[in-house]
Every structure is written in C-alpha cells, then in structure tokens.
Amino acid sequence: MEYLTRAVVERGLRARVRLLAWIMVIVVFGGLVVRLYYLQLVRGPWYARRAANQQLRDTVVPAARGEIYSSDGELLATSATCWTIRASPREIKDEDVGKAAAGLAKILDIDEENVLKKFSERKSNDCLLKYRVDRETADAVRSFCSENEISGIFINQDTKRYYPQGEMLASVMGFTNVDNAGVSGVELKYDKQLTGDSGLVRTAANAWGYTLEQSYATLKPPVQGDSLTLTIDLGIQRALENALRYAVTEHHVGQRAVGIVMEVDTGAVLGMCTTPAYDPNEPRVIYDETIRAQIDALTGEDRKKALQLAQQTQWRNKAVSDLYEPGSVFKLITCASALDAGVVSPDTTFFCGKSINVAGTHFHCANFKRHGAQTLTQALMNSCNQSFIQVGQRLGKEAFCDYFANFGLRTATKIDLPAEPKKSEYYTADRMGPVELASCSFGQSSKVSYIQMAAAVSAVVNGGKLMRPYVVQEIRNADGKLVKQVQPTVVRQVIKPETSEMMCAMMEQVVIGGGGKNAQVKGYRIGGKSGTSQKLDSENARARIASFLAVAPADDPKYLVLICLDEPHSWSNAGGSLSAPVCAQVLESILTQKGYPREQPVEETEQ
C-alpha cells in the first residue's frame, strides 16, 4: 500500500515537471517567435533602411540648368562641366594628414591651415575643400592622390553656369549662386523651370563608412532643366549696348543709363540694358574700375559696406526696378489723353508768354523761352510747358488720373523679370490740386518705371492697346519638346485708333522740325519726344535725367527705343541733345537689320 502511494506521487510530480517544461518551452519559443515577428515584420523596414544607410553611400550628381537662347538662336547661358573637391577625413590615414593638407592646399589655392583643421576632425565623414574647379585642377588632385596613395579624397562631377556673351544683357540675365540657384534676372524669375532633376550615385561602403573600391555603383542619371528662348534679339541688343556705352563715357553719366527696345504691337522686349553693367561670370567683381579702386582704398567694415552697395547697384536692373521722373516725354501721355477725350485737337491754339500763373505758382518754359501763340502740334514740337499746363487744365484732374491709370502707370506691368515695384508714385484726383495737375501735365511730380513708360508710349502709337511687356517667348524641356509658348497679352484698349494715328503724325513732326531733330535717320520716318527731367528728390538741384523716346517707322510704328541718361555731366543735359542721337543710332541699326528700305525724307512742316 505504501509502495502504491509513492508511485502515484512520483507520477504526479513527473507530470507537473513535464507540464512546466512545456510551458517554459512555449513561453521561451513563443517569445522568440513574437520577437522575430516584431523585428522582421513590424520593425523590418526601419532596420532595412538603417542597414542600407550604413552599407551604402549616396552621392548627388547635380543636374545642369536649362540653357537660355536669344530669339535669333544665340546661346546666352549654359552649364559647363566642372568638379567639386570633397574629403572624408576619417578615411585619410593618420600619417597622410599633413602631406594631404599641404599638397591639396597648393593645388586648390586654398589656406593650408584651414584644410589641416578640417582633416583633423577624424570622425568627420565629409567636408568641402573647393567648389567647381576646372578639369586641369581636378586632374591634378587625382594625380596627387594616386601618386601619394592618399585615400578619402572625392572628385565629384558638378556643373557651373557660364555666360558666353559676358556682360552683354547682364542685367536681364542675372546670375546664379554657388548652389546653382538663380539670384537675379531671368535666372531668378525662371529658377524653377531652369533647375533640373539631380542624379544619384549609390556606392557600397564597409562597416566604418569607407567606400569599397571594388564595389559596384548604381546611377540615376541627372535630367537637365527646361531651356528658355528670350524675345531679345542679340543683334539689336549689341547695337543698343554699344551706343549706350559710348554715350555714358562721352557724357560722363553719373548714375548709370537705361536703354529699352520694344516691339510696340506685342510688348516683346527686343533689347534692354543698364550701363555700366557687370560680367555675370564673375558677378561679385566690381566692373566699374573707378568704383573698384575707391573700394580697394577702404578697409574693415567701411570696405565691406561699400563693396555690398556697389554689388547690389551693379546687379540692379534699373530699367525694371527703378522709378524716375519722365519729364517732357510724359507730354505724349497728356497729349494723347486730351485728344482722346476730345477736349483738344492738333490745331487747338495755346499761348506761351513769360510764365503762367497757377494758384499763385508761376511756371515757365525751359530756359525761359516764350513760344507765343502755337497749335497743339507746335506745342509738342517745342515741348512747351505752359501749353501743356493748359492742356491738363482742359482735361481736368479726374480724366487726367483716369488716363494715367489706364496707360498702366500706377501699377506694375507684370513683366516676367524680378524686383519690379508694385506701384509707382503718383497723385490721385482727391489729392491733386491745380498746382499738382499743372506739374504732372508736363512730366514732373510723378515717378514711374522705365518699362512702364515704354509700355505706355507703345500704346500711344500702336493703335491704343496697352501690351504687357515680356522677355521669354518659349520654354522647352530637356528633350526639346515645347512646354510653353508665350503669346502677347493685351491689357486694355486705352485710346481710340484714330487718336493713335494723330499722335504718330505729331511725333513725326517733333523729329522733323522740333526738339527731336537729333533723332533723324536719313531715309527713315522717325517719331519721338525728348525729356529733360529734374530729379526732385536729389540733393543736387541741378541733377537731371536726359531722355529721348523714338518710334519707327513713324507712319506705322513697329519699334520703340527709350534712352535715359541719369545725371550726365556734359556740354548739355538736354535729352534732345544727348539721348536723341543714341536713339537715332539704335533705330538705324534696327531698321537696316530688319530690311526696311530707305525712303526720301518727309518735308519739314512749317511752324
């Protein structure tokens, strides 16, 4: 009986031990299964990415920016192949650090102490030595590293923006920074379209992050950005820049000069420049030798501030970004508005005496001339301030301000270039008194941009349509497929076609027998208007802007040229004397390039 009881107890114990063992097996292996499930299925993707990051090294291959062409097919901007030198200090052998720093500093023309400091960061996996070197320098680095068995130096293919035309069209083109991003001009405005899709080189690496030389690399090829074709005609641009550069030198222009050539029927900008300019291949070098010498004579913070100011000034596209007093060129707007409103005709008579009294303020004509009795056409030919004050009075401030706005002189033109002011400086009717209306009527007391003025006068002569100016006419992708074709945009009809015809005839008389005689071109019919505006916000009371605006052919205008010399210091400061000959030179080049035959000159109209 005792034996039987003991056997039963022992069997129970063994059963409990087996049960406990199975429970332990289930718990242990179940835990392992759950852990494996968690690691492989739940956290698997995270560990896979982490392993890939440890085992692979990615190198970005920058895509080339899209190219830029003129309307006549000339290359204006392209991306040249270059190489960027980088290093992985942790891969450089300790005994090679000093030799590598000295050798590379000499080849790359950089500071040896700075390179040694970078290489001394022994845990660093990447540092920049020099951006965008040429092939000769890259080959020298490669040879040096090979001959001295120096590891950890990387020569990565890169791209660098290159402008084959140099300073030509610089203020319109703009330039890019060290990251190949647009900084100004077309490069900035169309940065998104010009920027390509970068490629990728993926290389295997060992556990310490060192590249395995025998490992394979996979490549995602870079895709070049879209290319642009501008409305700029490089033949016209050359003629414009050459003529303006000569004028700036000849007349000692103190605050730069602006030139614009526009196709009046479309708003397409055929030429635009601000002179002196700069070389976009080296945009941070001050192009004006006199200013550069003045800056080099300074030191410390003064030099830094002067350099920054000079750089910002030379990069600024004055034709789009600056406002100015248009002076007597604005009389074209006053005249067209009054004719269109029906308050005057070309034969309406006005009188110009010693001065005209407006609410106690006396206005006189330039150089105190007294033109006597004259028609509206003769008043425009003589650029008579007193007569145009009377024209403004007949028009009235409400109508004057309405036409001013309709000609697009209040708000931005929305040209496809950056840094255009959102609005100009002008009087509204509720703030305009008799004196303000008088001064605004002959082109003072309001400030507009140069491109606004060119667009407004294009509307005066093209049948009355205000066109939106533009500089890019088409965009194509890397395969040459057309992405966008820009069409001319009519903003609004400003004046009647018959008013425009009258204005064209009157502007031709200004050149034939008035203040625009210096804009005459033998064999071609030219219309135009001069301007000599006082810079009212200048500390120099004698500061003037000498301007001239010309159109051709006068009987059916196709091209407009605006030339403005800001603060000339010459035998004269009058636009009819200094700027009109520049317009004549540019227009003659345009008309001959476009194949217009020369005609017999129109007989001078008697005054």
Side-chain angles (χ1 to χ4, degrees):
M1 186 66 180
E2 183 180 350
Y3 172 77
L4 182 60
T5 300
R6 189 183 306 117
V8 172
V9 171
E10 289 177 354
R11 281 198 300 272
L13 287 172
R14 284 196 293 273
R16 285 196 292 273
V17 169
R18 284 196 295 272
L19 178 61
L20 182 60
W22 278 110
I23 290 173
M24 291 180 66
V25 169
I26 291 171
V27 170
V28 172
F29 281 96
L32 289 174
V33 170
V34 171
R35 183 63 176 167
L36 287 172
Y37 173 83
Y38 175 77
L39 291 176
Q40 293 188 356
L41 299 181
V42 177
R43 295 285 285 173
W46 181 83
Y47 282 110
R49 289 193 299 269
R50 187 173 181 185
N53 289 337
Q54 292 176 344
Q55 298 166 16
L56 300 173
R57 168 177 283 159
D58 290 345
T59 302
V60 174
V61 181
R65 285 173 73 83
E67 295 180 329
I68 303 177
Y69 297 90
S70 66
S71 63
D72 45 342
E74 295 271 6
L75 183 63
L76 302 175
T78 187
S79 293
T81 300
C82 59
W83 290 264
T84 292
I85 314 300
R86 309 190 74 93
S88 175
R90 67 186 296 180
E91 296 185 38
I92 303 174
K93 298 175 185 178
D94 291 340
E95 60 270 24
D96 290 339
V97 168
K99 179 170 58 177
L104 292 171
K106 183 177 180 180
I107 295 172
L108 299 175
D109 192 24
I110 54 180
D111 183 60
E112 180 181 344
E113 184 178 343
N114 189 37
V115 176
L116 187 59
K117 183 179 179 181
K118 290 181 178 181
F119 287 177
S120 298
E121 297 289 334
R122 306 303 292 147
K123 293 183 179 181
S124 173
N125 207 34
D126 178 68
C127 68
L128 172 69
L129 296 183
K130 192 165 186 178
Y131 270 120
R132 302 190 178 96
V133 302
D134 56 25
R135 180 182 293 276
E136 182 180 353
T137 303
D139 288 344
V141 170
R142 188 177 292 108
S143 298
F144 171 78
C145 293
S146 176
E147 292 170 2
N148 293 277
E149 297 182 346
I150 294 173
S151 57
I153 306 300
F154 304 103
I155 305 172
N156 299 330
Q157 184 173 321
D158 205 342
T159 61
K160 180 180 180 180
R161 205 59 164 163
Y162 173 62
Y163 303 91
Q165 307 299 332
E167 68 173 300
M168 184 75 65
L169 201 63
S171 61
V172 174
M173 293 294 297
F175 60 97
T176 60
N177 60 17
V178 294
D179 296 319
N180 263 341
V183 172
S184 66
V186 171
E187 293 278 23
L188 174 59
K189 187 68 175 182
Y190 287 88
D191 186 60
K192 183 177 180 181
Q193 292 84 349
L194 289 165
T195 301
D197 185 13
S198 295
L200 184 69
V201 173
R202 178 163 290 176
T203 309
N206 64 18
W208 292 273
Y210 301 163
T211 300
L212 299 174
E213 295 182 5
Q214 302 304 320
S215 66
Y216 65 91
T218 59
L219 173 67
K220 171 192 169 186
V223 179
Q224 182 175 327
D226 294 343
S227 293
L228 309 178
T229 298
L230 306 187
T231 58
I232 300 295
D233 183 311
L234 207 59
I236 293 175
Q237 182 71 25
R238 287 194 180 99
L240 177 65
E241 293 205 18
N242 289 339
L244 199 59
R245 190 181 301 113
Y246 178 83
V248 166
T249 302
E250 179 72 10
H251 302 304
H252 308 285
V253 177
Q255 296 299 320
R256 309 172 80 202
V258 168
I260 298 174
V261 178
M262 186 178 289
E263 195 172 59
V264 300
D265 289 330
T266 65
V269 177
L270 306 181
M272 177 183 284
C273 67
T274 302
T275 303
Y278 64 97
D279 186 349
N281 293 299
E282 297 181 307
R284 285 172 173 76
V285 174
I286 302 305
Y287 203 66
D288 188 301
E289 294 182 0
T290 302
I291 296 176
R292 187 166 69 243
Q294 292 171 351
I295 293 171
D296 289 342
L298 302 174
T299 58
E301 192 66 23
D302 290 339
R303 185 182 188 281
K304 181 180 178 181
K305 289 180 179 179
L307 178 61
Q308 289 177 342
L309 177 60
Q311 289 174 338
Q312 293 294 331
T313 299
Q314 74 175 13
W315 298 339
R316 190 175 179 85
N317 184 358
K318 192 169 180 174
V320 171
S321 300
D322 284 15
L323 302 179
Y324 82 116
E325 293 93 349
S328 292
V329 171
F330 187 84
K331 289 171 181 170
L332 296 173
I333 304 300
T334 304
C335 189
S337 301
L339 287 170
D340 196 66
V343 297
V344 297
S345 73
D347 297 324
T348 301
T349 304
F350 301 92
F351 184 78
C352 171
K354 179 180 179 181
S355 66
I356 184 171
N357 185 343
V358 179
T361 299
H362 292 269
F363 293 90
H364 54 77
C365 282
N367 300 320
F368 296 92
K369 288 183 178 179
R370 303 183 189 186
H371 298 109
Q374 56 190 341
T375 65
L376 179 63
T377 299
Q378 292 169 332
L380 189 66
M381 294 168 66
N382 295 326
S383 196
C384 177
N385 291 348
Q386 294 185 45
S387 294
F388 273 88
I389 289 173
Q390 297 169 62
V391 173
Q393 290 171 339
R394 294 195 182 195
L395 185 60
K397 66 178 183 179
E398 296 287 349
F400 178 91
C401 291
D402 287 344
Y403 275 104
F404 188 95
N406 287 337
F407 271 111
L409 296 171
R410 283 190 179 183
T411 58
T413 65
K414 297 184 180 178
I415 188 174
D416 50 341
L417 286 171
E420 183 182 17
K422 292 182 179 180
K423 62 179 182 178
S424 56
E425 296 179 12
Y426 56 90
Y427 282 98
T428 53
D430 60 313
R431 296 189 302 113
M432 180 179 279
V435 174
E436 289 77 22
L437 175 60
S439 60
C440 288
S441 296
F442 61 86
Q444 294 288 165
S445 301
S446 298
K447 296 180 75 173
V448 298
S449 71
Y450 299 88
I451 191 66
Q452 278 180 314
M453 200 65 214
V457 179
S458 290
V460 169
V461 301
N462 71 4
K465 301 182 298 294
L466 180 65
M467 306 301 298
R468 178 171 297 157
Y470 64 103
V471 297
V472 171
Q473 66 181 22
E474 70 175 31
I475 304 174
R476 293 183 179 272
N477 65 16
D479 297 325
K481 183 179 179 180
L482 185 65
V483 174
K484 182 179 181 181
Q485 181 75 49
V486 179
Q487 299 297 331
T489 301
V490 180
V491 179
R492 69 181 68 88
Q493 185 78 28
V494 185
I495 57 175
K496 296 183 283 290
E498 51 268 33
T499 304
S500 180
E501 289 182 16
M502 286 188 283
M503 287 301 304
C504 291
M506 293 169 69
M507 290 172 66
E508 184 174 17
Q509 292 305 312
V510 172
V511 173
I512 291 173
K517 289 183 178 179
N518 287 325
Q520 292 178 2
V521 179
K522 187 177 181 180
Y524 291 116
R525 298 177 65 176
I526 309 296
K529 184 69 189 77
S530 63
T532 309
S533 56
Q534 182 180 358
K535 297 178 70 172
L536 298 177
D537 55 357
S538 174
E539 294 180 359
N540 181 3
R542 303 186 57 149
R544 298 290 187 272
I545 298 175
S547 63
F548 199 90
L549 188 148
V551 298
D555 57 330
D556 184 19
K558 297 299 180 186
Y559 308 103
L560 174 148
V561 178
L562 174 62
I563 299 296
C564 299
L565 308 180
D566 194 344
E567 295 192 22
H569 298 85
S570 189
W571 55 273
S572 172
N573 58 15
S577 299
L578 307 186
S579 300
V582 183
C583 281
Q585 186 177 345
V586 175
L587 275 176
E588 184 171 25
S589 178
I590 293 171
L591 295 170
T592 53
Q593 284 183 49
K594 298 299 181 181
Y596 282 80
R598 293 184 187 267
E599 303 175 357
Q600 292 298 318
V602 177
E603 293 297 326
E604 182 176 329
T605 299
E606 293 185 7
Q607 298 185 40

